[in-house]
Amino acid sequence: MRRTVFNEDHEAFRETLRAFIEAEVVPVYDEWFAAGQAPRDFYYKLGELGIFGINVPEEFGGAGLDSHKFEAVLYEETARAGVAFGGSGVHVLLALPYIKMLATDEQKKRFLPKFVSGEEMWAIAMTEPGTGSDLAGMKSTAKLSEDGTHYVLNGAKTFITGGVHADRMIVCARTSAPTAEDRRHGISLFAVDTKSEGYSVGRKLDKLGLKTSDTAELAFVDVKVPVEDLLGEENKGFYYLGHNLASERWGIAFGAYAQAKAAVRFAKQYVQDRTVFGKTVASFQNTKFELAACQAEVDAAEAVADRATEALDAGELTPAEAASAKLFCTEVAHRVIDRCLQLHGGYGFMNEYPIARLYADNRVNRIYGGTSEIMKTIIAKDMGL
């Protein structure tokens, strides 16, 4: 079947991106992997390439487009090469929608030009120790000062992707206590300058996968946040978080599909080159059947991912549809990548092979952005169950 989700502009971007990855990322990726993060200056290169400004209005230095399809191309090309762009994904996929949706004109003038150039890297801090997916249970507080000029932020966050390199952090904190009727009431969002006194980055977490992504613990002790850095209205933060979950889950779904597609590519190449018992591994019927089954699953995931992409660009992707796409694509990727690793034999367990890194990176897809179990709950509720 002919794929229709991308046009000539997307394919031209793909060629540019592929060349950039081959020149700037592949030669040094092992160094990033060993260091546990991409270097900070790499993000300036992404800014120069225009990656950060695709969906930013032209008046602030961006391309002024309103589409997630270029992000989709990025997912496919990084997976194809077996690399990642560090923790920069949250900068565009997670942080930018909040700036575009909530920032005032004055805030956009302050924030977006530096966002586009990579001078200010952004991330978002939602999860807290002990709360996990229960965002309504967060304990971090932001209390308005007596003179009304700033908020005083206290609390802690964990599992914060991009947390080491971030220059601005969207922090979710309580400005009011929850009510008996609504536990979600009272959460607000702040664009916090990470150089603020009392703001500290704790451990850079040692993860199973996503080794080049800087993930950290954060602590806030009497951090003064100017009232000018409140995003949106007080106490409406939970609503804002829910509004952007569909695009976040689309990103995880599409990224998982791209990983599954890459896994088949890696396995096909390996079995065609590897010889056992005097024959290539690809010549055995079991190998052909395994890869054929994996390809069929990837084809199905591609169709789901593309459909979700079109719906998201049209502003029609519902929370239940996003949950369904995430559940399906991440579960497919789990099965496909495992089977493709098996075809590598012992070499599949070695980190020098991209399939091993892909196996570890993929595992979190069924956890973050809402676990598979949460996705099933959302889908079931939409079904009236």
Side-chain angles (χ1 to χ4, degrees), residues 9-335:
D9 291 337
H10 302 123
E11 296 306 330
F13 175 68
R14 186 188 302 278
E15 291 181 13
T16 299
L17 186 59
R18 187 173 295 183
F20 173 83
I21 290 171
E22 289 298 324
E24 300 289 344
V25 182
V26 172
V28 294
Y29 195 70
D30 286 345
E31 297 173 20
W32 297 5
F33 190 85
Q37 62 186 37
R40 177 62 179 84
D41 61 4
F42 173 68
Y43 298 140
Y44 291 108
K45 294 181 180 180
L46 292 180
E48 293 173 2
L49 189 63
I51 296 293
F52 297 149
I54 292 171
N55 291 326
V56 173
E58 292 182 52
E59 62 187 295
F60 303 115
L65 302 178
D66 188 20
S67 172
H68 288 79
K69 293 182 180 180
F70 292 94
E71 292 172 53
V73 172
L74 191 151
Y75 284 127
E76 290 186 334
E77 289 305 306
T78 51
R80 179 185 181 277
V83 302
F85 284 174
S88 65
V90 298
H91 183 68
V92 174
L93 181 64
L94 299 190
L96 182 57
Y98 291 102
I99 302 173
K100 292 176 67 176
M101 178 175 69
L102 303 177
T104 63
D105 289 341
E106 183 275 331
Q107 288 174 325
K108 289 177 180 177
K109 290 176 183 177
R110 274 197 293 136
F111 297 150
L112 286 176
K114 294 180 180 179
F115 180 101
V116 171
S117 68
E119 182 179 347
E120 278 193 354
M121 293 301 296
W122 286 62
I124 184 166
M126 292 185 275
T127 305
E128 294 186 357
T131 61
S133 297
D134 182 19
L135 294 180
M138 70 176 61
K139 305 296 184 183
S140 295
T141 60
K143 297 182 179 180
L144 189 64
S145 62
E146 291 185 3
D147 62 7
T149 61
H150 62 273
Y151 292 85
V152 180
L153 175 65
N154 285 281
K157 301 288 182 178
T158 192
F159 305 143
I160 308 306
T161 303
V164 175
H165 284 319
D167 302 290
R168 282 273 176 181
M169 182 68 65
I170 300 176
V171 178
C172 312
R174 285 205 165 276
T175 43
S176 296
T179 65
E181 296 79 20
D182 188 1
R183 293 176 64 243
R184 300 170 295 182
H185 172 77
I187 295 172
S188 301
L189 307 184
F190 300 90
V192 180
D193 185 341
T194 63
K195 297 183 294 296
S196 301
E197 184 177 353
Y199 182 107
S200 62
V201 178
R203 291 186 303 151
K204 181 165 72 69
L205 300 174
D206 183 15
K207 307 183 298 297
L208 170 68
L210 301 179
K211 291 292 188 178
T212 64
S213 172
D214 54 308
T215 304
E217 295 175 330
L218 308 177
F220 321 115
V221 180
D222 294 333
V223 178
K224 292 183 179 179
V225 183
V227 293
E228 292 82 10
D229 289 344
L230 172 70
L231 283 176
E233 296 182 38
E234 262 195 14
N235 302 324
K236 291 189 176 181
F238 199 95
Y239 163 77
Y240 299 143
L241 295 174
H243 183 82
N244 284 326
L245 277 175
S247 62
E248 177 183 352
R249 287 167 179 163
W250 164 82
I252 297 170
F254 203 99
Y257 140 70
Q259 289 176 327
K261 182 177 181 178
V264 173
R265 175 175 178 267
F266 296 145
K268 179 183 175 183
Q269 182 177 14
Y270 178 82
V271 298
Q272 287 176 329
D273 294 339
R274 174 72 168 157
T275 301
V276 294
F277 306 119
K279 299 193 298 184
T280 64
V281 176
S283 67
F284 292 95
Q285 186 182 64
N286 179 69
T287 303
K288 297 175 181 179
F289 281 5
E290 282 293 286
L291 282 178
C294 287
Q295 183 62 53
E297 289 218 76
V298 168
D299 287 344
E302 181 179 86
V304 170
D306 285 356
R307 186 180 69 174
T309 303
E310 296 285 16
L312 183 63
D313 271 14
E316 298 172 353
L317 186 65
T318 68
E321 289 169 346
S324 178
K326 180 182 184 296
L327 176 66
F328 183 78
C329 291
T330 57
E331 294 291 342
V332 164
H334 159 65
R335 293 191 297 270

